[in-house]
Amino acid sequence: MIAVAVLVLSGCKSPSALTAEATACRVTEIEIVDSDYKRDGSTTAWCARCRDVTYQCATNPARNRVECREVTAGVAPCR
């Protein structure tokens, strides 16, 4: 029963929590920013900012892998 609960809850990680997992930032330092992904309603890609650095992040539908890379702020898709 506990294993099922862990699996269900792990699929509910927020973009902020996933960004923190992939960067050196804490969840409280992360701001999810407006982006083409957000406007299109994507739940597996987003843009985030932490300590004046903008990241483009993506995860798989299971939300058990995440990758973020630095991008120039104001450049598509992170505008």
Side-chain angles (χ1 to χ4, degrees):
M1 187 70 137
I2 292 174
V4 171
V6 169
L7 287 174
V8 170
L9 292 175
S10 68
C12 298
K13 286 186 181 177
S14 70
S16 295
L18 289 166
T19 303
E21 212 174 276
T23 65
C25 298
R26 293 184 303 214
V27 173
T28 56
E29 297 176 297
I30 296 168
E31 171 193 3
I32 304 303
V33 297
D34 196 24
S35 67
D36 292 346
Y37 302 124
K38 187 175 179 180
R39 286 186 285 283
D40 290 342
S42 175
T43 58
T44 57
W46 64 93
C47 295
R49 186 173 300 119
C50 173
R51 300 181 199 139
D52 296 323
V53 176
T54 301
Y55 296 94
Q56 179 180 356
C57 301
T59 187
N60 60 352
R63 293 184 170 280
N64 59 6
R65 289 184 27 213
V66 64
E67 185 174 319
C68 295
R69 64 182 175 104
E70 280 188 46
V71 295
T72 304
V75 175
C78 303
R79 18 178 170 217

